[in-house]
Each structure stands twice: as structure tokens, then as C-alpha cells.
Amino acid sequence: MADVQVYKKSTAEFNLGQRRARKSMRGQIMMFSLMIFLTIMSFSMVMAYQADVIGFSKYLIIPTLMLFAAVQVGLQLYYFMHMNEKGHGIPQMFMYTGVILAFTVVLTFSTIIWW
Amino acid sequence: MSSVAQKRGFGATLWDWLTTVDHKKIGILYLLGGGFFFVVGGIEAMIIRVQLLTPNNDLVSAGIFNQIITMHGTTMIFLAAMPILIGFMNAIMPLQIGARDVAFPFLNSLGFWMFFFGGVFLNISWFFGQVPDAGWTSYASLAMASEGHGVDFYAIGLQIAGGGTLLGGINFLVTIINMRAPGMTYMRMPLFTWTTFVASAMILFAFPPLTVGLFLLTFERMFGANFFDPTMGGNTIIWEHIFWIFGHPEVYILILPAFGIFSEIFSIFSRKRLFGYSAMVFATVLIGFLGFMVWAHHMFTVGLGPTANAIFSVATMAIAIPTGVKIFNWLLTIWGGSIKVTTPMLWALAFIPTFVMGGVTGVMLGTAPLDYQLHDTYFVVAHFHYVIVGGTVFGIIAGTHLYWPKMFGTMLNEALGKVTFWFFFIGFHLTFLIQHWLGFWGMPRRVFTYMDGQGWNSANVISSVGALFMAIGITIMVYNIIVTSIKNVRVANDPWGDGRTLEWAIESPPVFYNFAQTPLVRGLDTVYIEKMEGNLSGITPAEPVQDIHMPNGSFIPFMLSLGLFIAGFGAMFRTEEPWGMAVLIIGLVWTFAAMAMRSLKDDLGFYVKKEDILKDMKRKGGQK
Ligand code: HEM
Ligand SMILES: [Cu+2]
């Protein structure tokens, strides 16, 4: 086996690392609260609809739910799966390509097969 | 383990090939496997042409004819063209980017064995006498009506082989993204590497739809589901969409690597840098992307409605633009070059007009109103043979001649190569040019015979004679390969004398770790740059000689694929044979056991010691 190299960080590097970790932690907690908030909103909307509260129609709730879901996926990917950090250009390119292709397919299917 | 070649017995050699994870050997395996299926598909093609030689011929029955055309198309596309191209990608691409290996050597080998067992599974159908007969597109209404196990062989065989292709594609993507030598930026990658990259990305996005489609078909036929049966609330058109969402990208997966090979050839044998490199890269990526937006041009006559037809028609024609960009760049690469007409160059030169003709008929077919006239006639057959044979197969044969020395260390005979070319080239145009007119005259595709007195007789005779010429050409090539291998005259690093990219700066064939020292890349056509600056070795090392880490071989990929192969039979005979269910379970358990073995056993690979590398380098000192 090759030699295992042990690398010792300098104090400055160590502090920088700490600061970065703290910043990322702050971001994650904020986003986590936001996600919980969105989830509570979603559930209360549905409950409001079931309790026949005026103004909560299906046509309002379903698109809103979809929107919230999309936001949640984005937050999940960017904050918890670290896509907001450097060096994720290629995965981003592939994911967006996939999203565009899937969107075309769904659009076509829903307009010419399932309509 | 020493890298010095040792004499070994047959058993040891066989074991070595069964367990290899070396991308160069896997490349050779793909070439052999794909070459074998190419010959099988070719024999099927000859039977088709003999059957159509005269009107009212009864050489084969209508049913067997359907089986033969189905197997011809399926074999040629999935088991010949694509694997051979993947073989070249394996053998050459890592060398071009200065890598010692691919990113996932184990997956790579698994990809090969899945392709191999999938292909064998499909072709075993001949021995059961129940052969797929619903066309290579296997449209659901036909597939559901097909009796016996024919279409089951298609669904399961392609599922296994397709899984292998997907693994191969992922492996190439990660290799190109992560394993380029220092200095090898994206915009310095040789065009063949670029086309490998884009084709692999297309595999990544196109094969999952195929997997889904085949999965639905399997369940429809073998497990009582009703996805495509309108009487049960299904929709038979869904299959067509799913198949072509995969199918159109698939044809570009077939053509892009061939474009890459031709780009290398034009630049090597015009002894010029490729004209408009960045435009070429952009066109490749654009073709890859647009390739996903046009699938419904195969379905114009299904009745999607004028709006859908118009949109897909325009999108289809858009692809002609980047393709045209490429054609002009190749022409301008040749322009003013100091041209050497070698065998690969001959194929490349013939490719341009041939492929352009195929592209033009493609645009004609992309015109929805005209397609109502031409759909399902011989015109379509002519179109796709002009692009697939004139593009992909020409590219494969050109690549075989070009890269043979790099893969095997011997040089195919140039004179025989040119004889092959002329037979094949003339035969090809004889066979398929006239089929455009056959289409105009109304001859439908996929008919097993035709009546006398419709004016189709002599055209069909011409077509069949051409097929004979092609067969002679291929036979000469096989003869050439055999003779060359027996003579075994070894060649130096760059037998063509004008290699511009890294693979030509290392010996033929390369040592198993490719580069004793990882090269430093200083620009596009890096070897050419080095040589122009007086560095005759063509490589500036980026590191001192040091131990190299390499992966161990493994027998697990073979066993894993075998498990899937066995499970396939079980799934097929599950209900009608008492042993069916047991075989299905045994196969699946076998597969999972192989997976578990891979996961649980740590295999850290081994190191090639510095002393051995130095010894190898000294030994090579004797070579030119
Ligand atoms: C300018 C580029 C191209 C255009 C506009 C084009 C257009 C078309 C259209 C409209 C069809 C459907 C015809 C019909 O069934 O009525 C078709 C069929 C086909 N094309 Fe192309 N094509 C192009 C390039 C290619 C290339 C590069 C390949 C493969 C290397 C290819 C392979 C095929 C195949 C295999 C079929 C027949 C599929 C089948 O029904 O069995 N095409 N093409
Ligand atoms: Cu197409």
C-alpha cells in the first residue's frame, strides 16, 4: 500500500474551516426551518380545504402544493446535498438537462395522449 | 505481479479474458462480440435479399421472414453497431485523455458481460424456434399478437443487454469528467473523446425510457398486465412514444462516435488541425440535445394532429443545421491539407457524400406531409441505411483499420483494405440507392414478397446483387484480419506517422497501465505540439516514475450476468413449465449473491512497483 500522508492544518486554515462550517450550519438550520414551515403550511391548507373553509378551493391548493414541493426539492438539493457549493457544475448540468427532457416528455404526453 | 509478458497456458489465458477489467481488453472483447453479431446480422440480411430477389419467392415463409427482419434490425443496432463503437470507446478514449484506466473498471466489465449474455439470450430464440417477429421497434399491437416466446426473448434479452450499455455509458461519463490528465481541459479533448462523452450522456438519458418500455412489455406479456391493451383501458400508442423517446436518441448514439472517428481521420490524414474545433464541439452537444426533441417524427402518420406534427417537423429539421456545420468543417479540414489516401481516409472521404444523402432524405421524411407518402415504404429503408451504414458502419470499418495497430500491434494490409472498400462502397450504393425509387414506386417495407408486374423486379435484383458485393467486401476484410494476425508483424507507436493525440505516443498495444508517467497536456493535438517543438517522444510527463495503483481482475461480472441470463429463462417459462419458477428464483438469487460478494469482499487492487515500470521503460527503449 502506498504511504498514507498525514496533513497538519495551520491555525489559520483551521479557523477558516471552522468559520465555513459554522456558516453552512447556519444556512442549513435556516433552510430546515423554512422547510418545516412549508410543510406545516401544506398540511394546514389541506386541512382547511377538508374543513370547508371559504377560499381554499382545489384549484388554489393543488398548484400551491406543487410549487411548495418544487421549492422543497430545490432546498434539499442546494442546501442539504451541497449543490450550492463549488465544483457541482457538471452534476447541475446533467440534472437540469434531465429536468428539461422529462418536462418535454410530460408536456407532450399530456397534450397529445392524455388530453 | 510483473508486467513482463509471460508464456501462459490456454486455461490461464481464457481465465484472464473472462476476468479482465482492463479497458483495452474489454475493448477487444466488445469488438469480437460485436463483430460476431455483425456477421450473424449480415447473414440474416443476405437471406432477406435472396428472398426478395424475385417476385413470389418462397425461400422463406412470411412468418420466418418477419423473424429474420426483426432479428436483423435488433442484432445490427443493439448487438453489432453499438457494442463495436463502445469497444472503440473503451480501447481508445482513456488513452486519448491520458488516463491509466477507466473510472469504474468493474462496471465496465459488467457492462460487457451483460451485453454478451443479453445478445446470446436473444439469439438462443433461434434454437427454440420461437423468434421475435414484431420488428426491431416491436410495436405493442404486433408484440401482443405475437405467439410463442419470440417477443419475450426480445424484451428480456434487450433488457439485459441494455442494462450493460447503460453501465458502459455511466462509466465513460465519469471517466471523462474525472480522469483527464493534467492540462487536458474540456476544450482540449480530441473529438472522439467529445463524441464519446455526448453519446454516453445520451445513453444515460435514453436507455432508462427503453428500460421502462421493455419492463411494461415484459409485464404485459408474461405477468398479465394491460398497459397497451385498449380493450383493458391501456393505450397501444404509449409504447410507440416510449420506444421512440429512446429510439431517436439511439440513432444519434450510433452516429456520434462515428463522427468522432471520422474527425480524427480527417485531421490525421490531411495532416492539419481539425477545422473549427469549437464549432465541432458545439455542434456535437447540440445534436445530442436536439436528438431528444424529435422522436415523434417516427409517428407522423399515427394521427397526433397537425400541431404536434408541425412542431416535431420543425424540431427535426433543426438537427440538420449542426449536422451541416460538421460536414462543412470536415470539408475545410481536408481543404488545403496534405492528404494521404489511406484505407481509413478512403472510408472517411466516401462517408461525406453518402451521409449527406442520408441526411437529405431524412429532412424529406421530416416533412410531415411528404412522410404520409413515404412512411413505411422502402424510401425509409433507404434513408436509414444511408445514415447507419454510410455513417456508422463506414465509421466502424474505418476505425477498425485506423485503430487496429493500436489495439493489436499489427497493421491491416492496406491493399486488401482498399479492395474491401471498393466492394463494400459500390455494393452499398447498388443495394440502397435504388431503394429510394422502390419507395417512390410504392413498395412497402417489411413485406416478405411481392407480385410480378408492378415494376419492382429489376430494382430488387439490383439491390440483391449489391448486397452480394458488400458480403464479398466484408469477407475480404475478415480474411485480411486473419492473415494479419497470423503474420503478426509488430508495429511501432505511431504506424500512420501522423498521429496527433496521446494514444499515438505510447506503444501498440500499450502496457496495461497505459502511461508509465501521466502526461502533461499542453494543447489540442498535444502530441503534435510536442513533436513540433522537438520532443520526439510526443509526451511531457507530469509526474516522476512512481508506483501505480491498478484494479484486480474479477470473475463476478461474468457470474452476475449469467445469473440474469438464467433468471430470464425462468421468467419466460414460469407458468408453463414446472421448473420455471424455480429457475427464476435460482437466477435471481445467483445474481444477488454475486452482488453481495462484490459488496462484502474488499478488493483494494494492487500496486505496480516502480522498479517494474522502470524495467518496462528500458525494454521499450529498443522500440522505435
Ligand atoms: C438530418 C438528420 C435526420 C433526419 C431529419 C431524420 C429523419 C427521419 C424521419 C422523419 C424518419 C421516419 C420515417 C418514417 O418512418 O416515415 C426517420 C427514420 C429513421 N432514421 Fe432518420 N433522420 C436523420 C438522421 C438519422 C441518423 C443519423 C440515423 C442513424 C444513424 C437515422 C436513423 C433512422 C432510422 C433507423 C429510421 C427508421 C426507424 C424505423 O422505422 O425502423 N436517421 N428518420
Ligand atoms: Cu428519428
Side-chain angles (χ1 to χ4, degrees):
Chain A
M1 302 257 39
D3 306 317
V4 177
Q5 289 194 345
V6 180
Y7 178 75
K8 199 135 174 52
K9 283 185 186 166
S10 71
T11 332
E13 274 179 312
F14 184 77
N15 287 340
L16 181 69
Q18 290 257 302
R19 209 154 357 114
R20 286 223 178 108
R22 232 175 289 133
K23 203 170 134 217
S24 128
M25 188 59 156
R26 195 155 3 111
Q28 294 203 350
I29 291 185
M30 260 161 57
M31 291 312 145
F32 188 56
S33 348
L34 182 57
M35 288 168 83
I36 293 191
F37 175 71
L38 288 178
T39 312
I40 294 175
M41 289 289 286
S42 311
F43 273 101
S44 16
M45 269 190 319
V46 176
M47 278 156 70
Y49 168 73
Q50 281 182 332
D52 290 325
V53 180
I54 315 259
F56 284 86
S57 81
K58 258 207 318 222
Y59 300 98
L60 172 72
I61 293 177
I62 293 178
T64 320
L65 278 181
M66 293 287 195
L67 182 72
F68 283 7
V71 172
Q72 296 242 22
V73 170
L75 292 180
Q76 174 75 25
L77 287 173
Y78 275 84
Y79 282 88
F80 294 97
M81 298 176 80
H82 302 284
M83 254 172 66
N84 55 350
E85 290 167 19
K86 269 210 284 284
H88 289 70
I90 298 275
Q92 286 195 16
M93 186 189 78
F94 275 92
M95 286 171 66
Y96 283 117
T97 312
V99 168
I100 294 174
L101 299 185
F103 177 76
T104 337
V105 169
V106 173
L107 183 70
T108 315
F109 276 33
S110 41
T111 46
I112 64 183
I113 306 181
W114 296 323
W115 198 254
Chain B
M1 180 177 174
S2 160
S3 52
V4 180
Q6 288 153 345
K7 266 258 172 289
R8 274 182 304 188
F10 174 74
T13 312
L14 182 67
W15 180 251
D16 183 40
W17 284 93
L18 289 180
T19 60
T20 187
V21 292
D22 178 348
H23 68 90
K24 298 175 288 301
K25 286 189 174 162
I26 293 179
I28 291 175
L29 286 176
Y30 267 116
L31 197 66
L32 291 177
F36 169 75
F37 286 121
F38 183 73
V39 171
V40 173
I43 293 170
E44 283 154 5
M46 291 311 290
I47 299 176
I48 297 175
R49 278 325 314 171
V50 176
Q51 163 66 21
L52 293 175
L53 182 63
T54 52
N56 293 317
N57 199 355
D58 58 358
L59 175 76
V60 294
S61 69
I64 292 185
F65 188 84
N66 285 349
Q67 300 175 348
I68 294 177
I69 56 156
T70 300
M71 286 303 282
H72 166 70
T74 313
T75 303
M76 284 303 197
I77 288 195
F78 292 98
L79 308 180
M82 217 173 20
I84 295 177
L85 290 172
I86 294 182
F88 288 132
M89 296 178 186
N90 258 306
I92 304 301
M93 180 276 287
L95 307 180
Q96 286 196 329
I97 61 173
R100 294 219 168 90
D101 201 347
V102 290
F104 303 123
F106 179 92
L107 275 196
N108 199 15
S109 140
L110 182 59
F112 170 77
W113 289 110
M114 281 176 71
F115 142 66
F116 178 79
F117 278 109
V120 171
F121 192 89
L122 254 175
N123 277 281
I124 277 186
S125 61
W126 289 113
F127 296 100
F128 280 78
Q130 301 176 353
V131 186
D133 58 358
W136 84 280
T137 51
S138 204
Y139 276 11
S141 318
L142 291 175
M144 276 151 41
S146 167
E147 279 162 19
H149 282 300
V151 175
D152 303 345
F153 277 108
Y154 173 96
I156 297 174
L158 280 193
Q159 192 70 281
I160 299 175
T165 309
L166 186 57
L167 294 180
I170 292 172
N171 175 39
F172 291 140
L173 282 177
V174 181
T175 304
I176 295 176
I177 292 171
N178 283 337
M179 299 185 60
R180 284 164 291 134
M184 177 64 80
T185 57
Y186 283 106
M187 289 313 274
R188 286 179 183 174
M189 294 194 317
L191 241 267
F192 181 61
T193 300
W194 257 113
T195 52
T196 301
F197 185 69
V198 175
S200 304
M202 296 185 77
I203 288 177
L204 180 67
F205 289 119
F207 270 70
L210 176 70
T211 307
V212 171
L214 291 173
F215 191 78
L216 300 186
L217 185 63
T218 307
F219 274 73
E220 175 99 28
R221 284 193 45 109
M222 279 166 262
F223 297 88
N226 292 298
F227 300 107
F228 305 123
D229 184 354
T231 59
M232 305 294 284
N235 184 340
T236 177
I237 300 299
I238 296 262
W239 165 268
E240 294 186 28
H241 279 288
I242 295 177
F243 185 86
W244 288 118
I245 286 170
F246 148 78
H248 188 82
E250 166 68 16
V251 304
Y252 279 93
I253 294 167
L254 290 174
I255 198 65
L256 285 180
F259 282 177
I261 293 174
F262 286 128
S263 302
E264 303 287 328
I265 292 176
F266 283 127
S267 153
I268 292 176
F269 295 110
S270 304
R271 293 184 266 184
K272 260 177 79 188
R273 194 189 136 137
L274 191 70
F275 185 90
Y277 171 83
S278 34
M280 285 298 238
V281 170
F282 182 68
T284 308
V285 176
L286 195 61
I287 290 177
F289 186 76
L290 287 179
F292 283 90
M293 303 291 164
V294 298
W295 76 86
H297 66 209
H298 296 274
M299 302 168 63
F300 282 149
T301 56
V302 164
L304 307 176
T307 318
N309 276 5
I311 291 172
F312 280 101
S313 183
V314 172
T316 299
M317 291 183 199
I319 297 199
I321 297 168
T323 314
V325 168
K326 282 180 160 287
I327 300 281
F328 285 113
N329 279 330
W330 286 318
L331 290 176
L332 289 168
T333 304
I334 314 172
W335 188 286
S338 142
I339 303 168
K340 260 204 271 183
V341 185
T342 56
T343 305
M345 187 63 170
L346 206 49
W347 287 100
L349 291 172
F351 149 78
I352 292 188
T354 311
F355 186 80
V356 167
M357 290 170 74
V360 169
T361 53
V363 175
M364 290 171 72
L365 291 168
T367 318
L370 185 54
D371 188 63
Y372 269 83
Q373 284 298 313
L374 298 174
H375 179 63
D376 266 349
T377 68
Y378 260 81
F379 191 87
V380 176
V381 178
H383 157 66
F384 68 71
H385 283 91
Y386 262 79
V387 278
I388 294 187
V389 181
T392 309
V393 177
F394 279 22
I396 283 173
I397 302 180
T400 307
H401 286 88
L402 177 71
Y403 289 126
W404 194 268
K406 193 45 68 187
M407 292 173 78
F408 297 93
T410 56
M411 191 84 166
L412 290 177
N413 183 309
E414 277 286 287
L416 283 178
K418 287 177 183 163
V419 177
T420 302
F421 169 79
W422 286 111
F423 269 104
F424 197 91
F425 179 72
I426 294 173
F428 166 75
H429 283 279
L430 265 184
T431 308
F432 294 109
L433 189 64
I434 194 77
Q435 292 187 357
H436 293 105
W437 279 274
L438 269 176
F440 286 140
W441 296 331
M443 177 158 167
R445 67 188 281 204
R446 291 174 172 167
V447 286
F448 93 105
T449 191
Y450 49 94
M451 306 269 244
D452 202 358
Q454 301 186 87
W456 299 343
N457 299 8
S458 40
N460 273 300
V461 172
I462 294 173
S463 195
S464 296
V465 171
L468 181 67
F469 272 60
M470 283 198 274
I472 295 174
I474 293 297
T475 312
I476 295 173
M477 189 169 99
V478 173
Y479 171 77
N480 191 357
I481 288 174
I482 295 173
V483 170
T484 305
S485 309
I486 291 175
K487 280 197 193 142
N488 200 18
V489 185
R490 312 306 293 181
V491 293
N493 294 0
D494 181 9
W496 299 107
D498 294 297
R500 309 171 72 84
T501 42
L502 280 171
E503 75 268 30
W504 302 111
I506 53 181
E507 67 273 46
S508 318
V511 280
F512 69 96
Y513 48 81
N514 297 353
F515 297 91
Q517 293 158 289
T518 299
L520 178 70
V521 177
R522 293 169 52 220
L524 181 63
D525 290 348
T526 171
V527 171
Y528 173 80
I529 294 178
E530 298 286 349
K531 289 197 170 158
M532 282 297 121
E533 295 182 358
N535 176 1
L536 287 184
S537 75
I539 287 190
T540 302
E543 59 173 20
V545 177
Q546 56 194 18
D547 293 0
I548 296 175
H549 182 244
M550 294 299 286
N552 284 323
S554 169
F555 194 47
I556 297 177
F558 183 95
M559 296 306 266
L560 207 165
S561 316
L562 183 61
L564 291 173
F565 180 80
I566 295 171
F569 283 104
M572 212 152 58
F573 293 108
R574 184 181 51 100
T575 46
E576 65 206 54
E577 302 283 350
W579 45 262
M581 197 64 190
V583 169
L584 175 60
I585 292 171
I586 291 173
L588 288 178
V589 169
W590 185 311
T591 307
F592 284 113
M595 284 185 196
M597 208 143 105
R598 166 70 179 167
S599 310
L600 299 177
K601 206 180 90 194
D602 270 339
D603 184 351
L604 300 174
F606 65 97
Y607 276 85
V608 189
K609 286 273 166 283
K610 187 174 160 184
E611 302 82 68
D612 290 329
I613 300 170
L614 288 171
K615 227 183 287 165
D616 281 352
M617 288 170 78
K618 203 174 306 147
R619 181 174 54 78
K620 273 183 273 166
Q623 260 187 12
K624 283 140 278 169

